[in-house]
Amino acid sequence: MTILQTLIRRSSTSANSTAASLLRLKLQNQYRLSTTFLKAYDDHVQERAQLGIVPKPLDKHQVASVIEELKDGSGSISSEDKATLKDLLTNRVPPGVDEAAYVKASWLTELATGKQSSAEISPKEAVKLLGTMQGGYNVATLIDMLSNSDAELAQEAADALKTTLLVFDGFYDVEKLAHGGNAYAMEVMQSWADAEWFLSRPTVPEEITVTCFKVTGETNTDDLSPAPDAWSRPDIPLHATAMLKNEREGIVPDKPGEVGPVNQIAELLSKGHPLAYVGDVVGTGSSRKSATNSVLWYMGDDIDYVPNLKSGGVCVGGKIAPIFYNTMEDSGALPLEMPVEEMKMGDVITIMPYAGKATKDGKVVSEFSVKSKVLFDEVRAGGRIPLIIGRGITAKARESLGLPETDVFEVPGGSESQAKGYSLAQKMVGKACGVEGILPNTYCEPKMTTVGSQDTTGPMTRDELRSLACLGFSADLVMQSFCHTSAYPKPVDVVTHATLPDFIRTRGGVSLRPGDGIIHSWLNRMLIPDTVGTGGDSHTRFPVGISFPAGSGLVAFAGATGTMPLDMPESVLVRFSGEMQPGVTLRDLVQAIPYYAKEEGLLTVEKANKKNVFSGRILEIEGLPDLKCEQAFELSDASAERSAAGCTIQLNEEPVIEYLQSNIVMLKWMIAEGYGSAQTLERRIARMEQWLENPVLMKADKEAEYAATIEIDLNELKEPILACPNDPDDSKLLSEVAGTNIDEVFIGSCMTNIGHFRAAGKLIQQFQSPLPTKLWVAPPTKMDEAKLIEEGYYSIFGTAGARTEMPGCSLCMGNQARVAPKSTVISTSTRNFPNRLGQGADVFLGSAELAAITAIEGQLPTPEVYQSYMAKVNSDAADTYRYLNFDEITEFVDKANSVEISSEMMDAAKKLQN
């Protein structure tokens, strides 16, 4: 059976049957089309069929064409084609506030209210179809229909609203009608109060029989959603064909390096059971919901009336990375951590989720316990986000009707221990929840003060915001960047660059511009100390405050609602002491954390039965209080490679005051330069100024408890530490790998700041001959680039033959330029997973200083050679490691002086501060 036939078979009983029907008819060569639109659509169907995938959802222009042909009363369109057109309108239009949904809802509203008529869709059918659109443009019409004089239509509207969760302020309109005597509105309120929207859905079965799709070792999100294919992420069926496209043990790609094991998956599906993704370590790396989408495309369930998106499914891992676990939760899947050694590719197993067992041929092969029984409610509701929204509606309805709290839902857990003291992270999250602190294992929904989105996940976040019916952000600041695609944009990226900024700004967000640079280098300058945020990039790790990075669905939810669900993790304390030794850099301290954890038996490199004390926990760092905020980010940023849920760094007030004074000038400069939303930037400036009026930072209580404490004596660390190919956890001293020949060197990524490029330039300037390596240089922002050009460093790089890249992510993600296949590389980037920077490349991770010396030497130097070079850097470190303080740069100060903050935004900031 081909994958096309399998997809048809699996889709044939779902609401997404239109694509399956057209594909089946095409395969059988049986149909003739009598409409202009269907003839054009058939070409698209054929084109996608050649790729083995279903058609795209309809866009606004196609929906308009469908409607026009449904309106056609000339008799020239056959009844069969009319039925197909109606089916397309019903099942192939994205819900929420998508532009196509607007066109659909507008016409259905005309039909429901009798302003237009159709032989194909009656007013009652129109109301029913409006009820399938989840929320957004359909809500106002459905609420109005509750007062319709036609009882049948009013009842249909009531039935539709009972299962519509994305009503937002429409709730109060229904409430007003109900208390005003409208029986249909009262029926809706009672249904919401009784949680019928939830109880009408099937429970998680006692037993789930699946066929194992076993991937041994570690599966990172680069494997599931490869960076070079990032352009196709919003097109889930197409992007899913790239999942696991690189050859590895047990995996048979259809076309190695291009198309993943699509036919291998189809063959396993032919056994008659759904597939479960099974792996030793699953989902490490980036916060890509596209990774989850790809898995669920083959292993999940169709969603009625939602084209090209799936929910449900089972994911089993010996260890599941926390962001990936959360994204599976958000998607309505069942993620389960359990031993997987006895599960092989193609095994048929039965999972008993409530009993906590998995059996094969009647024998128990694994046992487990779920983190919380709330997980079963999430699966039943279709995901964590629908559950949260639905629980909120039920609670409000019961309060409005004077009813006690419901007992329908599992209650999120709280900590069973009493607080002896709170860690810094626990205090920050507590503040965001309006309490003193939040202990581990407590469910909470902290306020999201700052939310970030980048361009390879931004189109998916946009789609999620549309599906959430979001027309305005509730989070105080949402920022969009274009750092991952600006340098080498594909046609689809050009469209994103042109359209996404307005989408963000019209909802009150801030949009950067292509070429501005890396998301984190900008977003960090918009932070309020001791607040909580999130971002659709796993390296959204604040140097002040705390961030819990997430997939695009949860990021959209945080932006739309201003809160985010969180099961408060435990914390691991890393405490530095002593003095930094000559030649040792912040990047070496980054790698010292996994190095010391490995030495203490808290971290293993081996993937089977992997130990990782940081996984899913918060990394809290003390002992470096005088770091500049730019330096602190280097440490917090790398907590992503530890699979930590978040990171805090205890700083003194002085570097934070300096940072905010600089950042206020930068944000005012942004307003003067026409960045928007100007009101959002004004409000953020006002909040910064208010913090500076009383600049006090939270500190951890001495009595705070941690899951583990790692002590690192800086006096003992006398040489660089590198991450070895191809695992960020595999840490070794320079002396252990010295002499390794290096082909290419990359200095760039969010792990760098302007000081690193000055240091590299000064080192390279000493070398008069052509470099024996290929050197790549990519500063993090356009401001860094301009300053380095002004100071003459670009001349040094150019003379040395370096390839300078547009400010942005460059090689780091691997979706733009790439190093040569099978080359050996040292990079300052964030992670070195297999094939990330280049196909088959072996990548070491280290400091910019070590990278520059390696570029000169052509190999990893000995510690003695390294120190001889570093003597020059150490001699004028004060000049080298100067950071961009915008309040000291005339160009920025002059522009900032032209901007005044409105009293309205100052008042708004005060309300948020209180």
Side-chain angles (χ1 to χ4, degrees):
M1 180 180 291
T2 67
I3 184 61
L4 181 58
Q5 291 167 329
T6 302
L7 288 172
I8 290 169
R9 181 180 61 79
R10 294 188 70 210
S11 301
S12 60
T13 58
S14 74
N16 289 323
S17 60
T18 301
S21 300
L22 287 169
L23 287 169
R24 185 184 302 107
L25 289 169
K26 170 55 63 180
L27 286 173
Q28 296 170 355
N29 197 25
Q30 287 182 347
Y31 70 102
R32 300 289 183 272
L33 300 171
S34 61
T35 86
T36 302
F37 169 75
L38 285 181
K39 288 173 183 175
Y41 188 68
D42 178 50
D43 291 339
H44 172 64
V45 171
Q46 292 182 62
E47 178 186 335
R48 302 279 282 189
Q50 292 298 316
L51 300 173
I53 55 178
V54 297
K56 290 182 179 181
L58 301 183
D59 62 28
K60 62 179 180 180
H61 303 293
Q62 290 173 313
V63 174
S65 295
V66 167
I67 289 171
E68 286 307 308
E69 293 192 349
L70 281 171
K71 289 179 180 179
D72 189 298
S74 67
S76 62
I77 301 176
S78 69
S79 59
E80 291 82 2
D81 284 348
K82 287 272 190 177
T84 299
L85 290 165
K86 181 178 176 182
D87 196 35
L88 285 169
L89 184 70
T90 301
N91 296 310
R92 301 299 298 172
V93 181
V97 292
D98 185 270
E99 291 172 321
Y102 177 80
V103 178
K104 175 179 175 177
S106 298
W107 189 54
L108 292 176
T109 295
E110 296 284 294
L111 297 180
T113 56
K115 293 178 181 178
Q116 290 191 38
S117 62
S118 167
E120 312 304 324
I121 300 174
S122 68
K124 182 178 179 180
E125 285 180 295
V127 175
K128 186 173 183 177
L129 288 178
L130 284 166
T132 67
M133 296 182 66
Q134 296 190 351
Y137 298 128
N138 63 333
V139 171
T141 301
L142 290 174
I143 293 173
D144 287 344
M145 296 300 293
L146 295 175
S147 302
N148 195 281
S149 58
D150 186 325
E152 192 175 22
L153 294 181
Q155 184 63 61
E156 193 69 49
D159 292 341
L161 283 167
K162 289 173 186 177
T163 55
T164 300
L165 300 181
L166 301 175
V167 294
F168 299 111
D169 288 346
F171 173 89
Y172 302 106
D173 296 324
V174 176
E175 180 185 45
K176 183 177 179 180
L177 286 172
H179 291 308
N182 185 301
Y184 300 105
M186 181 58 72
E187 192 177 314
V188 174
M189 290 289 288
Q190 188 64 55
S191 177
W192 285 340
D194 294 339
E196 288 181 354
W197 63 268
F198 177 76
L199 296 175
S200 61
R201 299 175 63 93
T203 60
V204 175
E206 296 283 342
E207 295 186 351
I208 304 170
T209 299
V210 294
T211 299
C212 293
F213 184 79
K214 176 71 179 286
V215 184
T216 58
E218 178 178 1
T219 309
N220 61 63
T221 52
D222 264 332
D223 298 318
L224 302 173
S225 174
D229 299 275
W231 61 273
S232 64
R233 285 175 181 167
D235 188 347
I236 293 171
L238 177 60
H239 189 67
T241 63
M243 183 178 81
L244 298 170
K245 67 179 184 179
N246 294 310
E247 292 179 293
R248 59 188 292 167
E249 182 183 351
I251 300 300
V252 186
D254 287 15
K255 198 173 184 179
E258 295 183 32
V259 180
V262 180
N263 283 306
Q264 186 179 13
I265 289 170
E267 190 174 327
L268 292 172
L269 283 169
S270 68
K271 291 189 174 186
H273 303 293
L275 301 189
Y277 195 99
V278 180
D280 294 305
V281 180
V282 182
T284 53
S286 302
S287 56
R288 300 175 185 170
K289 192 178 181 185
S290 52
T292 292
N293 288 340
S294 291
V295 171
L296 297 190
W297 182 251
Y298 298 114
M299 304 176 197
D301 304 313
D302 290 303
I303 306 172
D304 288 350
Y305 309 109
V306 181
N308 294 14
L309 182 67
K310 296 192 179 184
S311 181
V314 177
C315 177
V316 177
K319 180 71 70 175
I320 302 177
I323 297 177
F324 189 76
Y325 184 98
N326 292 340
T327 306
M328 279 281 173
E329 280 186 284
D330 297 338
S331 300
L334 183 63
L336 300 169
E337 287 190 327
M338 68 177 85
V340 298
E341 289 73 26
E342 295 189 52
M343 300 178 194
K344 310 298 179 188
M345 179 72 84
D347 282 352
V348 176
I349 63 171
T350 297
I351 297 171
M352 298 172 237
Y354 302 103
K357 296 178 182 179
T359 64
K360 181 172 66 176
D361 299 327
K363 175 188 173 185
V364 175
V365 293
S366 193
E367 295 186 273
F368 62 92
S369 60
V370 295
K371 293 183 178 180
S372 167
K373 290 184 178 179
V374 175
L375 178 62
F376 300 136
D377 280 3
E378 292 169 351
V379 175
R380 186 178 188 180
R384 179 164 57 161
I385 291 171
L387 178 64
I388 293 169
I389 295 171
R391 279 193 318 224
I393 285 179
T394 293
K396 285 198 298 184
R398 295 186 74 82
E399 181 182 2
S400 177
L401 298 178
L403 300 173
E405 290 186 7
T406 184
D407 59 0
V408 165
F409 308 108
E410 291 287 346
V411 178
S415 176
E416 296 180 0
S417 59
Q418 295 295 315
K420 297 178 182 177
Y422 294 109
S423 75
L424 179 57
Q426 291 160 9
K427 286 188 173 184
M428 289 177 178
V429 175
K431 178 184 176 184
C433 295
V435 297
E436 182 183 1
I438 298 289
L439 288 176
N441 303 313
T442 302
Y443 176 82
C444 57
E445 294 179 11
K447 182 188 298 182
M448 293 290 107
T449 299
T450 308
V451 178
S453 172
Q454 49 97 331
D455 41 335
T456 60
T457 57
M460 293 187 298
T461 303
R462 175 194 59 203
D463 293 345
E464 298 278 359
L465 286 164
R466 286 170 173 165
S467 69
L468 285 169
C470 173
L471 294 172
F473 294 125
S474 295
D476 185 39
L477 185 144
V478 177
M479 193 203 80
Q480 176 67 47
S481 80
F482 298 92
C483 47
H484 290 71
T485 60
S486 295
Y488 304 94
K490 295 179 173 62
V492 69
D493 299 322
V494 174
V495 174
T496 298
H497 297 169
T499 59
L500 191 53
D502 278 347
F503 181 91
I504 296 295
R505 287 193 295 258
T506 56
R507 285 160 174 77
V510 175
S511 178
L512 299 185
R513 298 164 183 168
D516 280 351
I518 299 174
I519 174 175
H520 317 296
S521 302
W522 287 80
L523 191 66
N524 289 346
R525 289 187 173 276
M526 300 179 184
L527 300 177
I528 304 296
D530 293 334
T531 59
V532 183
T534 186
D537 186 297
S538 60
H539 293 100
T540 311
R541 311 270 173 160
F542 298 163
V544 292
I546 188 169
S547 169
F548 296 95
S552 53
L554 200 53
V555 169
F557 181 82
T561 67
T563 64
M564 188 176 87
L566 178 69
D567 292 304
M568 187 65 186
E570 295 178 306
S571 291
V572 173
L573 176 64
V574 172
R575 184 187 291 120
F576 290 94
S577 61
E579 299 293 328
M580 285 183 69
Q581 300 301 296
V584 174
T585 68
L586 258 294
R587 185 61 185 253
D588 300 316
L589 270 56
V590 164
Q591 214 59 40
I593 294 173
Y595 181 83
Y596 275 75
K598 192 168 67 168
E599 292 291 303
E600 294 181 21
L602 299 173
L603 176 69
T604 59
V605 176
E606 177 63 36
K607 304 308 174 187
N609 300 309
K610 182 175 176 67
K611 287 183 182 178
N612 183 356
V613 70
F614 306 107
S615 182
R617 294 183 169 124
I618 299 170
L619 174 57
E620 307 214 38
I621 299 174
E622 294 182 357
L624 302 167
D626 296 319
L627 291 179
K628 301 294 186 181
C629 292
E630 293 91 338
Q631 294 175 306
F633 178 62
E634 204 170 338
L635 286 163
S636 64
D637 194 14
S639 66
E641 277 58 68
R642 310 285 76 81
S643 289
C647 181
T648 66
I649 301 180
Q650 184 70 70
L651 296 176
N652 287 333
E653 279 80 5
E654 288 75 15
V656 179
I657 292 171
E658 177 185 330
Y659 196 52
L660 263 66
Q661 288 173 336
S662 170
N663 296 345
I664 286 171
V665 171
M666 191 200 82
L667 295 187
K668 287 184 175 181
W669 170 85
M670 289 181 69
I671 295 172
E673 288 289 301
Y675 285 84
S677 158
Q679 283 191 328
T680 298
L681 289 170
E682 283 187 41
R683 190 171 61 245
R684 181 50 51 102
I685 292 166
R687 291 192 68 175
M688 289 179 173
E689 291 175 337
Q690 287 166 15
W691 186 88
L692 287 170
E693 291 173 4
N694 182 30
V696 177
L697 293 171
M698 291 179 167
K699 289 181 171 55
D701 294 329
K702 292 180 180 179
E703 301 81 11
E705 296 180 335
Y706 301 91
T709 300
I710 298 172
E711 303 279 356
I712 300 178
D713 185 351
L714 295 175
N715 296 314
E716 298 175 353
L717 186 56
K718 299 181 184 297
E719 63 176 288
I721 304 177
L722 297 85
C724 295
N726 280 314
D727 188 334
D729 288 340
D730 189 8
S731 306
K732 291 182 181 178
L733 299 173
L734 175 60
S735 56
E736 297 179 77
V737 294
T740 303
N741 290 329
I742 297 295
D743 303 308
E744 303 195 35
V745 176
F746 173 53
I747 301 176
S749 90
C750 55
M751 290 291 285
T752 61
N753 56 59
I754 195 168
H756 296 130
F757 294 91
R758 289 198 189 103
K762 289 179 178 182
L763 287 163
I764 292 168
Q765 191 175 29
Q766 302 174 54
F767 190 72
Q768 300 303 316
S769 303
L771 294 175
T773 57
K774 181 175 182 178
L775 174 62
W776 303 70
V777 175
T781 73
K782 67 179 182 181
M783 293 85 79
D784 295 288
E785 178 188 51
K787 194 68 174 173
L788 290 168
I789 291 172
E790 177 187 316
E791 295 177 357
Y793 286 99
Y794 262 57
S795 175
I796 295 170
F797 297 141
T799 301
R803 175 169 168 170
T804 51
E805 294 268 292
M806 176 186 286
C809 299
S810 187
L811 292 180
C812 182
M813 183 179 165
N815 67 314
Q816 301 184 86
R818 291 166 69 79
V819 300
K822 299 185 178 179
S823 56
T824 304
V825 182
I826 181 168
S827 172
T828 63
S829 54
T830 55
R831 49 178 62 119
N832 60 341
F833 293 146
N835 305 306
R836 183 177 174 93
L837 267 67
Q839 200 69 21
D842 285 332
V843 180
F844 292 88
L845 300 178
S847 68
E849 294 82 354
L850 177 58
I853 294 166
T854 302
I856 295 168
E857 291 288 316
Q859 62 180 9
L860 294 176
T862 64
E864 293 75 21
V865 170
Y866 170 81
Q867 290 290 5
S868 69
Y869 278 99
M870 286 299 290
K872 167 63 178 172
V873 176
N874 295 335
S875 67
D876 59 355
D879 174 71
T880 301
Y881 299 107
R882 290 177 288 113
Y883 300 101
L884 284 178
N885 285 343
F886 295 105
D887 54 335
E888 299 174 1
I889 302 175
T890 302
E891 174 192 348
F892 285 84
V893 173
D894 289 346
K895 284 286 182 76
N897 287 340
S898 69
V899 174
E900 290 187 12
I901 307 304
S902 68
S903 57
E904 179 187 358
M905 289 301 102
M906 292 176 69
D907 290 342
K910 285 179 182 177
K911 291 177 182 177
L912 290 168
Q913 205 83 345
N914 294 332

